């Protein structure tokens, strides 16, 4: 059986695991106040070209989103996001549980449109009754999006400019950031650091056991973050585990190596499907590929291959998702193609 | 100057005010545990044909909605509503502040479509990942809607049936319930009580100084409601004021008399506009009327008439709202028509 | 039957009620943006000697406390209060429902001790683990306290100085402020306005139908308060009712007249008890009087007099509370004394 | 340098780490729906003698407490705990952030007194105003306590009986449960499972990298727990890591072996101090030992030994805490004693 369900099915990339194993017996203080974390933060700041940035480590994506959104917003403000955003659909209402509304704009293959954002903000503040409405307090986008798509550098710059015109922090959910950076023709990590006010470098889906590194280039925005992180249950006692893993990911370019590996194989996978007449229904340059396949083919694959089933489309076809990761091999793609 | 801005511009209907004035010196216990409240609840139960219903008095509409939604939902569940719903647009995020998501479906002139509701619920529970999504825990509709429109009895029955098939309480926001009952060809107060699990009879917009009467025909749903009401800041020390006002509203049919008065004048107002060539852009049988007027006409009216401005539509026209209430007179309509 | 249960058993003082009745048919905009509110705010600012203060009107005490505490605190901060504070005991957890901890210090007949406050704050910030603890973000006291006692001017000044040394807003719950001002030998309304950052002038217990006027001498602290007030369900559609009532209360010194009336009668009541050998167990100079009475006396009074029963003390005595208000008369006191 | 600061300074016990390393490349479904978790749950149910119990894995202690308390309580209820409880002091207000009050009773060396609990509950429900107060909805205790002390079996039975008399779930925070079980003369894991409704078996402080296993012997209490866990940010994508670690901890009695190891060395440490005239100021049979030491001795130790500093007591002495763990060795104790 080969697996394309998602990018978090195995443990850690061997270089990441080695960092944990090799340092297992070292004793350090808790809660992230150790030398591993300090060094990992330095490596991240360097990779971002952001020597003044604050870096915080959290455990998982939903936790990171809901804690950061709670930290960045004033009490009654909301977060603007495309309607397909992970925070709006697949986080069990974590943003709302902590008191905030997700203010949705249309999604274009997962992306927010800068012009629609600007229009929404202009209309909001022009509305005489806006004090009775939830005020937009920040903007949330994902890079890459939930559909594997990417913003161009120009698109990110436009959105960033609009946010700053309205004094709204721009937050980028980078759960799969490394796949986006590996696939993008023009967006680099320093670009992300320059254009976002806060973003996170996803670890869980990029070869770590767990862990997300939040980067905040405007540290005033996260003034006194620790108590909020703790109250959200988002502080690890053995915080060093996060430091060790991100040290490994940011040593010898591992983070981008993992990104390039998975993205390269995803394109091979896409070409394999295309060779057999199955074009993707979204044009994704990253490690997630979306197809509409005949149910007969799906039935033929299922004994040998696992992947994401996204529901029927009509009588005889269904939407599916195939995902590659650091553990996918060229042999996996070949085996899959032999079954098509 | 004559006013059509909204239905809460003056104090109370004289019969309501008299109830407060005449009983001013009577001394009673606080927090609604007085004989006025007890009697008002009996009158309401009788008018609803619901002798077992629980009745609770709260102060205003946003407070009532957010307290009741918080009471009816489990911790992580959301409330399904059309996207134009008052709770989704004009309550400053009160639902989310208290931890819940508004799950929006398309609005059809303010109304939820039963078929779309059923489809949404079927798809939700069929989705394998639904435990990662906010589960619908109740359905919210308004009668009449924010656009003055009404559900037919058949439509209400359909929605109610779907809710009960899925074990979801149906909640009806009746901020302007009396105008809806006065205008509806087939929906009566006992129908509302029979089809909704919880609804409220709006007082503020129907001639009270303030006050909304929540009716719950399935009292188990609001088991131990008082502490939650108190924690929401929604208990009045002199709760008797709510009892006195609803006693008056439900004596000699005052509640429906007010509804019929305002609805009748609203139709006269509509006919006056139509006679001058301005058709409403929404077909509202109730006390709110919506027009697209030339800006030149608006400028001519403004020195003499106040009304709601809902923003420009194109270069030379704008959307406006005219609202009648217990204090509107036939002379007001005549004065307005003379200006058209 | 004569009533000493509490100070909110009747409707409104006749001068307050007249303001509502006389203006009943005037039409105004909603939500407090009317001329009555504007004038009432001016009168309050003048009475406080605080021409720059922001004034906000809310409906009831629990609502005011929980909304203001939510507005003043950062997300994870707590409010310091004596353990007998109303917010800690009798508000159904409204502060916690909205996300904040009440940090309790010992109560001395309802009062906070300045030295204990200072010691607590010094220890808190000296503790290396304080980021794992709830940080004090404001201080809450009541004037008069839940036991009818008063801070002296010197005590208020000490507490205010400590708060400002630690950059903590001092909030004074003035649900019964007028009784405190009437009874205090040295504290005036301008003193309260000078020493507190935010306080409220209670209306409900001082002769209004309902209503509390929040005064904030440092308006930056309540920047953008309206949406939070709305999301707490604490905005009245007919906000004018609050303006009209506070106009009346701050015209011809009515607020203090009511205070002096009730406080004077409370002292007569106390003397009546003392003449019969029942000394109060708390030395309260205000309108609440606390006695430990023989159960035989209580049984003898109950057919004729209502009052607060605070539970048994030993086998044959019980704690009780007697409260006077604007509606108490000298005859009520005489009737009571005849029964002792 | 030898370390006695706390029990989470190193990585994982080698047997736990091996489980993660050996299974690193196995691919499984996410979110805990894997065979490792299923097997670990079986092992835990067996060790608890509770074949019907529900088991849930979470990441850390604060997260576990705040998620479970939020799951067990009705919206406005509070959790009863001794005032020294971890949730009341050292979790940054996580319970309150999620809407609930901690209702404190006196702590007796960290323990709740059954008689005081009963008295509090009796008084609460006897109080006529109790609907205005936060209702106790569950009871929280720790085993061992924050001071290393233990309830006897009889004490646990008494508390459990009172809780069940009042229909309150009893929740036991077992962050250090294994140390308690190793040290207790009479309490076993099946006893804990029998007497608590919900408790957790701490992993982080007992040799895991992270992880806490919640056991609920009355699964109805945690009906539909997953969405709440997710909304609290408390679901791991690679949930298998929790399963693997608890499999290891509950294989070959490792959990209790770790407990006995650390508790045995803690008693040696205590005896070493006593031999030099320093008696503990709390009589703790578990792995935490508390002393009041001369500052001169502290200064002499600090270059060679790290431990917890709990603040000055008088001019020349201070409170300190020494903690042993799976990584403490007999040589560490000997080295320490040589320095006394």
């Amino acid at each position: 059986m080969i697996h394309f369900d998602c990018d978090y099915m195995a443990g850690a990339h061997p270089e990441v695991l080695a960092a944990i194993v090799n340092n297992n017996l070292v004793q350090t203080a808790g809660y992230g106040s150790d030398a591993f974390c300090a060094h990992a933060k330095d490596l991240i700041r360097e990779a971002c070209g952001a020597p003044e940035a604050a870096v915080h480590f959290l455990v998982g994506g939903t936790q990171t989103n809901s804690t950061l959104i709670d930290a960045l917003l004033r009490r009654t403000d909301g977060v603007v996001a495309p309607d397909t955003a992970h925070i709006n659909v697949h986080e069990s209402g974590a943003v709302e549980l902590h008191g905030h509304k997700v203010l949705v704009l249309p999604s274009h293959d997962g992306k927010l449109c800068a012009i629609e954002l600007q229009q929404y903000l202009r209309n909001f503040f022009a509305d005489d009754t806006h004090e009775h409405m939830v005020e937009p307090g920040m903007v949330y986008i994902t890079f890459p999006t939930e559909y594997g798509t990417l913003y161009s550098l120009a698109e990110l710059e436009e959105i960033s400019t609009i946010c700053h015109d309205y004094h709204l922090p721009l937050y980028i959910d980078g759960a799969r950031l490394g796949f986006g950076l590996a696939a993008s023709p023009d967006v680099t990590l320093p670009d992300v650091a320059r254009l976002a006010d806060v973003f996170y470098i996803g670890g869980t889906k990029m070869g770590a056991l767990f862990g997300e590194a939040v980067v905040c280039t405007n540290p005033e925005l996260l003034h006194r973050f620790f108590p909020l992180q703790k109250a959200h249950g988002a502080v690890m006692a053995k915080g060093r585990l996060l430091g060790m893993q991100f040290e490994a990911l940011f040593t010898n370019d591992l983070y981008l190596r993992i990104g390039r590996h998975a993205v390269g194989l995803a394109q091979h996978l896409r070409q394999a499907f295309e060779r057999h007449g199955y074009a993707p229904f979204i044009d994704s340059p990253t490690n997630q590929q979306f197809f509409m396949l005949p149910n007969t083919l799906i039935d033929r694959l299922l004994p040998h291959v696992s992947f994401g089933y996204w529901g029927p489309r009509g009588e005889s076809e269904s939407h599916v998702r195939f995902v590659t990761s650091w553990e996918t091999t060229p042999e996996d793609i070949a085996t899959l193609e032999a079954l098509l």
Side-chain angles (χ1 to χ4, degrees), chain A:
Chain A
M1 175 72 84
I2 49 176
H3 298 288
F4 297 98
D5 309 55
C6 66
D7 30 24
Y8 44 91
M9 300 195 72
H13 186 281
E15 296 177 38
V16 173
L17 189 62
I20 290 176
V21 171
N22 295 341
N23 295 304
N24 188 54
L25 297 183
V26 178
Q27 290 182 313
T28 65
Y31 308 114
S33 61
D34 59 90
F36 298 105
C37 286
H39 184 223
K41 291 177 181 185
D42 282 343
L43 292 174
I44 287 171
R45 278 188 278 257
E46 194 181 346
C48 291
E52 309 294 331
V55 180
H56 302 278
F57 296 120
L58 287 87
V59 178
T62 295
Q63 180 187 88
T64 301
N65 286 333
S66 87
T67 306
L68 267 291
I69 288 168
D70 204 15
L72 291 169
L73 289 180
R74 286 181 298 188
R75 192 69 170 101
T76 55
D77 285 355
V79 50
V80 181
D83 59 20
T84 52
H86 206 257
I87 55 167
N88 193 45
V89 181
H90 276 114
E91 301 193 354
S92 294
V95 170
E96 291 85 0
L97 187 85
H98 293 97
H100 299 289
K101 189 178 188 72
V102 182
L103 299 161
V104 294
L105 291 181
S107 160
H108 303 276
D109 283 350
K111 291 161 66 181
L112 197 68
C113 164
I115 290 171
E116 289 173 358
L117 173 63
Q118 185 159 44
Q119 203 150 24
Y120 160 73
L121 293 170
R122 192 186 298 129
N123 289 347
F124 180 87
F125 290 104
D127 187 326
D128 279 351
T129 68
H130 75 76
E131 286 215 316
H132 295 252
M133 298 160 73
V134 175
E135 183 166 324
M138 64 182 285
V139 173
Y140 166 101
I141 60 175
T142 44
F143 186 89
T145 71
E146 292 74 9
Y147 291 101
T149 53
L150 292 177
Y151 294 88
S152 69
L153 183 58
E155 287 172 333
L156 280 187
E157 281 175 337
E158 263 186 303
I159 289 174
S160 177
T161 299
I162 294 165
C163 287
H164 296 145
D165 286 351
Y166 282 89
H167 306 290
L168 301 177
L170 173 61
Y171 172 90
I172 299 180
D173 175 335
R176 293 186 168 97
L177 186 62
F179 302 125
L181 296 173
S184 171
D186 55 3
V187 177
T188 66
L189 186 53
D191 288 327
V192 173
R194 176 173 55 86
L195 297 170
D197 296 278
V198 182
F199 68 101
Y200 78 87
I201 300 172
T204 304
K205 292 168 176 166
M206 294 291 305
L209 290 178
F210 55 86
E212 323 294 327
V214 173
V215 181
C216 176
T217 53
N218 178 357
E220 264 311 289
L221 290 174
L222 295 183
H223 175 61
R224 231 168 56 90
F225 181 65
F226 186 86
L228 185 68
Q229 184 182 354
K230 175 98 181 174
H232 271 256
V235 172
M236 283 202 112
K238 300 184 182 176
R240 58 196 250 146
L241 297 169
L242 295 159
M244 290 168 184
Q245 293 183 86
F246 275 96
E247 262 190 302
L249 287 170
F250 280 83
T251 296
N252 294 331
D253 212 24
L254 176 59
Y255 194 69
L256 278 181
R257 274 190 282 137
I258 288 173
R260 284 190 292 258
H261 171 85
V263 164
L265 290 178
Q267 299 310 312
H268 292 170
L269 179 148
R270 173 180 175 160
Q271 290 151 13
F273 272 104
E274 286 176 335
R275 273 192 292 274
H276 291 77
Y278 309 113
F281 68 86
I282 292 172
D283 183 14
S284 158
T286 62
N287 75 317
Q288 300 187 80
Q289 297 295 326
F290 301 85
F291 304 97
M292 186 155 72
L293 298 184
N295 294 338
T296 51
L297 172 56
I298 290 174
D299 290 342
R300 205 163 71 233
L301 292 175
L302 279 176
H304 313 288
V305 186
S306 72
F307 49 89
Y309 180 76
W310 280 33
R313 287 300 177 276
E315 300 263 310
S316 58
E317 293 180 305
S318 299
H319 275 177
V320 296
R321 183 184 75 160
F322 283 72
V323 185
T324 60
S325 72
W326 66 267
E327 17 158 9
T328 310
T329 61
E331 292 69 39
D332 292 340
I333 309 296
T335 307
L336 171 64
E337 183 162 15
L339 293 163
L340 293 180

